Amino acid sequence: MTSSEEKDILNGITGSVNPGEVLALMGPSGSGKTTLLNLLSGRLMEPTVGGSITYNDHPYSKSLKSKIGFVTQDDVLFPHLTVKETLTYAALLRLPNTLTKQQKEKRAIDVINELGLERCQDTMIGGSFVRGVSGGERKRVCIGNEIIINPSLLFLDEPTSGLDSTTALRIVQMLQDIAEAGKTVVTTIHQPSSRLFHKFDKLILLGKGSLLYFGKASEAMAYFSSIGCSPQIAMNPAEFLLDLANGNLHDVSVPSELQDRVQTENSENDTANGKPTPAIVHEYLVEAYETRVAENEKKKLMAPIPLDEEIKAKVSSPKRNWGASWIQQYTILFRRGIKEHRHDYFSWLRITQVLATAVILGLLWWQSDSKSPKGLEDQAGLLFFIAVFWSFFPIFTAIFTFPQERAMLSKERAADMYRLSAYFLARTTSDLPLNLVLPVLFLVIVYFMAGLRMGAGPFFLSMLTVFLSIVAAQGLGLAIGAILMDLKKATTLASVTIMTFMLAGGYFVQEVPVFISWIRYMSFNFHTYKILLKIQYADISPIVNGMRTDSGFREVCALVAMVFGYRLLAYLSLRKMKLHFGA
């Protein structure tokens, strides 16, 4: 059930941050920190958001993304690429097209040195099942992906989340170094240690979407003491501020004005609790800020700081600034796709699975004879299994493609690293050479062990048929994954689809009822099976297992149509998710 009721997530936020400064956005969970950060960085441009985002009175434009870096809370990186490869690909895709490939690669090396990643530059990033760099190094790589474009503004969402205090301190010190180089740094942070808190130049404290404090971080404690809220025991300043933002006044002095409000509310509600509720505390803090600080801060912000001509041109230009041409984007993404996914395609588990199946089939159909009707029927069963196996295997591999890479695609498209068409074509074609190796090994073993029709022509035609079936099945897997973007749903739908195709493929049931017989013409199993029968037995019998071994032209056309049709469907499905990918 959906509600059309509007909700104010952020209300009356005012603040400023200058080059050379680090601004921290603090507040409890649900206070609006990430929403504010996404709005400021241009990542959240939904039509339901009221108001406008301007940079020194200039409206936000897509070209401005080239001067803004955004580091997400989650470390979205490819696990099988090394640190150097990750940053090099980012440089090749994001740096201006005016730079040469060598200059872009040098910039990647410079960032590695700047972030202190030299020791692990040739180590894989790693992930859940792949050993790689440490958590702090992963976060530095994520930051490196953004500072590689030398941004004027750098936004970070919870950069210290999940890190120990020492590693978190190193990250914040690194942010200070970036700011001191003339950059403007804005970061959300949940509950920093006292050492971290004192590293920030400015602070915005949010509570339920409202501004409770903006100013120098070093003056925050003095401000809250001035309105009667000060800790009664030694406390981490960040912990004290978050308690206030949550309306929790344990171990905190209660100002007389707030105490009067509590007594008034108690008398009106006929209660004698005597403790201020979080709602009353929040209301008091918001009013205190608005009456004591807000007006002065707003006056300071009335006169915008003049921008230099280069940034002004970028801000006012509505065009995107692609770092590489379409062909370059495709080439870079193709190379990256092969490097990242070769580990999955050539894992020992997959190789063992394919080779073991091939040997078992070879032994079961060892030197089978197609001259007798019984032998021919047995061989037809083998051909049907090959057609099913090399549609079943790739479809379930392809299903994972887009759901697993959704976060990466979202992040990179939001940064305008490449066109969706270049990514899609590179992602779907980089799998083709990887998809060819194991089927060749499989067919070499099965073909000669089973004693299928000898000769270079029949063998290579069988190989081409299997490869065409693989690419068609892969297309269906890509389409299902792109449409549903949910692995459980996609796997279920693919299982039902492949089972239906298999049953309608003409081997188990030759006399398929008329009302469902049309399904076989959508089945790549059916078309692959017919072509394989044609290759093996066209000279022996015109009909095998009830199947007519005709020219095979229609079956080839049907498979080719599936290869392109399913991929087009997958691409259009990704296009429809435009808003989700920040395109």
Side-chain angles (χ1 to χ4, degrees):
M1 180 177 174
T2 58
S3 173
S4 59
E5 182 183 349
E6 291 187 1
K7 183 179 180 181
D8 288 338
I9 297 175
L10 298 168
N11 184 24
I13 311 297
T14 302
S16 68
V17 57
N18 301 319
E21 294 178 336
V22 180
L23 168 68
L25 300 176
M26 275 182 56
S29 298
S31 61
K33 303 187 301 294
T34 300
T35 302
L36 177 59
L37 196 75
N38 286 332
L39 283 168
L40 292 175
S41 63
R43 285 329 194 251
L44 189 63
M45 305 296 277
E46 300 281 349
T48 54
V49 176
S52 61
I53 306 295
T54 60
Y55 290 75
N56 293 62
D57 284 347
H58 290 272
Y60 180 85
S61 64
K62 290 178 179 177
S63 63
L64 191 61
K65 286 184 182 178
S66 61
K67 299 302 290 183
I68 295 177
F70 186 91
V71 181
T72 57
Q73 181 176 351
D74 298 322
D75 300 334
V76 184
L77 299 165
F78 282 117
H80 292 107
L81 297 181
T82 66
V83 170
K84 185 177 180 181
E85 286 170 344
T86 300
L87 293 173
T88 300
Y89 286 128
L92 293 172
L93 288 166
R94 299 191 69 179
L95 289 175
N97 215 1
T98 52
L99 299 179
T100 65
K101 181 183 177 184
Q102 290 72 26
Q103 288 173 319
K104 291 182 178 184
E105 289 173 345
K106 183 181 181 301
R107 172 62 182 156
I109 297 298
D110 291 342
V111 168
I112 287 172
N113 296 332
E114 184 181 341
L115 299 181
L117 294 168
E118 305 96 327
R119 184 180 62 83
C120 63
Q121 63 179 324
D122 295 318
T123 305
M124 282 197 299
I125 297 293
S128 303
F129 305 104
V130 184
R131 190 174 179 182
V133 298
S134 68
E137 289 165 339
R138 284 170 64 88
K139 184 59 68 177
R140 277 185 278 166
V141 173
C142 290
I143 295 173
N145 266 334
E146 300 304 316
I147 67 170
I148 207 158
I149 60 171
N150 196 24
S152 300
L153 284 164
L154 180 62
F155 294 97
L156 304 99
D157 190 9
E158 302 276 6
T160 60
S161 176
L163 302 178
D164 62 77
S165 58
T166 304
T167 307
L169 183 62
R170 286 178 188 160
I171 295 293
V172 174
Q173 285 174 333
M174 187 176 67
L175 297 183
Q176 275 191 315
D177 294 338
I178 293 169
E180 286 171 4
K183 313 301 178 192
T184 304
V185 178
V186 180
T187 179
T188 62
I189 196 151
H190 184 60
Q191 192 163 352
S193 65
S194 55
R195 285 194 301 173
L196 253 63
F197 180 81
H198 292 297
K199 295 285 183 183
F200 300 120
D201 299 296
K202 287 184 177 177
L203 171 71
I204 283 181
L205 181 65
L206 295 176
K208 297 180 182 178
S210 297
L211 192 58
L212 306 183
Y213 175 78
F214 165 68
K216 292 182 178 179
S218 57
E219 297 175 0
M221 297 297 287
Y223 162 74
F224 284 104
S225 294
S226 72
I227 63 171
C229 297
S230 55
Q232 295 176 327
I233 59 172
M235 293 177 73
N236 172 359
E239 187 179 348
F240 166 71
L241 295 176
L242 286 172
D243 277 350
L244 283 180
N246 277 311
N248 177 14
L249 293 184
H250 289 297
D251 300 319
V252 177
S253 61
V254 179
S256 57
E257 184 182 340
L258 185 54
Q259 196 64 51
D260 293 341
R261 291 192 188 190
V262 175
Q263 291 174 356
T264 303
E265 183 170 292
N266 286 342
S267 61
E268 288 177 356
N269 297 329
D270 195 25
T271 61
N273 188 356
K275 295 181 180 179
T277 63
I280 295 177
V281 174
H282 175 76
E283 184 183 333
Y284 172 74
L285 293 175
V286 171
E287 287 181 8
Y289 178 79
E290 288 179 350
T291 54
R292 298 184 185 220
V293 183
E295 285 303 317
N296 291 333
E297 289 298 336
K298 286 177 183 177
K299 286 177 183 176
K300 293 178 187 176
L301 299 175
M302 288 305 290
I305 303 167
L307 297 173
D308 63 52
E309 291 303 317
E310 180 192 355
I311 297 178
K312 189 181 289 186
K314 286 184 178 293
V315 171
S316 57
S317 172
K319 295 181 180 179
R320 289 178 177 175
N321 296 317
W322 299 108
S325 66
W326 192 95
I327 291 294
Q328 289 172 330
Q329 289 175 10
Y330 169 79
T331 306
I332 294 164
L333 293 169
F334 182 87
R335 290 205 313 268
R336 187 179 77 172
I338 286 183
K339 279 194 173 182
E340 169 60 24
H341 299 105
R342 64 186 176 185
H343 300 274
D344 294 330
Y345 277 87
F346 300 129
S347 66
W348 282 111
L349 185 64
R350 181 170 294 198
I351 292 171
T352 303
Q353 181 183 6
V354 170
L355 296 185
T357 303
V359 171
I360 291 170
L361 291 177
L363 292 174
L364 287 172
W365 275 272
W366 177 260
Q367 296 301 309
S368 57
D369 182 16
S370 61
K371 293 177 182 177
S372 66
K374 179 62 178 170
L376 190 146
E377 188 178 330
D378 284 346
Q379 269 196 9
L382 172 62
L383 296 178
F384 184 76
F385 183 88
I386 292 172
V388 170
F389 183 77
W390 286 111
S391 58
F392 188 90
F393 202 66
I395 196 172
F396 284 98
T397 303
I399 276 173
F400 291 83
T401 300
F402 297 124
Q404 283 186 336
E405 291 191 10
R406 181 176 188 171
M408 180 64 76
L409 184 57
S410 175
K411 172 188 148 186
E412 295 183 337
R413 287 281 293 150
D416 280 346
M417 286 180 66
Y418 44 72
R419 293 173 173 85
L420 182 60
S421 56
Y423 163 81
F424 181 83
L425 197 62
R427 184 65 187 86
T428 53
T429 55
S430 62
D431 287 343
L432 297 183
L434 300 174
N435 266 328
L436 189 58
V437 177
L438 288 181
V440 169
L441 294 175
F442 175 92
L443 213 59
V444 165
I445 295 171
V446 173
Y447 204 93
F448 295 104
M449 284 184 72
L452 295 175
R453 186 179 176 187
M454 291 296 114
F459 175 78
F460 285 109
L461 284 175
S462 299
M463 176 57 64
L464 286 172
T465 302
V466 169
F467 187 58
L468 195 58
S469 174
I470 289 170
V471 180
Q474 187 186 45
L476 179 60
L478 292 171
I480 292 174
I483 291 168
L484 297 178
M485 279 294 177
D486 182 290
L487 288 178
K488 286 185 178 179
K489 292 178 182 178
T491 304
T492 302
L493 179 59
S495 299
V496 173
T497 304
I498 200 74
M499 183 179 65
T500 306
F501 283 178
M502 182 174 67
L503 293 173
Y507 180 75
F508 296 111
V509 183
Q510 293 175 23
E511 295 297 328
V512 181
V514 176
F515 63 92
I516 58 170
S517 61
W518 57 271
I519 294 176
R520 65 166 56 186
Y521 299 107
M522 298 173 60
S523 166
F524 29 76
N525 302 140
F526 173 74
H527 298 298
T528 304
Y529 181 46
K530 280 197 74 173
I531 298 171
L532 290 175
L533 290 177
K534 157 72 179 172
I535 294 168
Q536 293 295 322
Y537 311 123
D539 298 338
I540 299 174
S541 173
I543 298 177
V544 180
N545 269 16
M547 290 269 192
R548 184 170 294 278
T549 56
D550 50 18
S551 68
F553 178 76
R554 283 182 301 177
E555 286 72 25
V556 171
C557 290
L559 288 175
V560 171
M562 290 178 190
V563 167
F564 292 101
Y566 286 138
R567 279 167 171 75
L568 178 61
L569 183 59
Y571 177 73
L572 294 176
S573 299
L574 291 183
R575 267 289 174 212
K576 282 188 177 180
M577 300 184 69
K578 197 174 186 180
L579 289 174
H580 298 275
F581 293 124

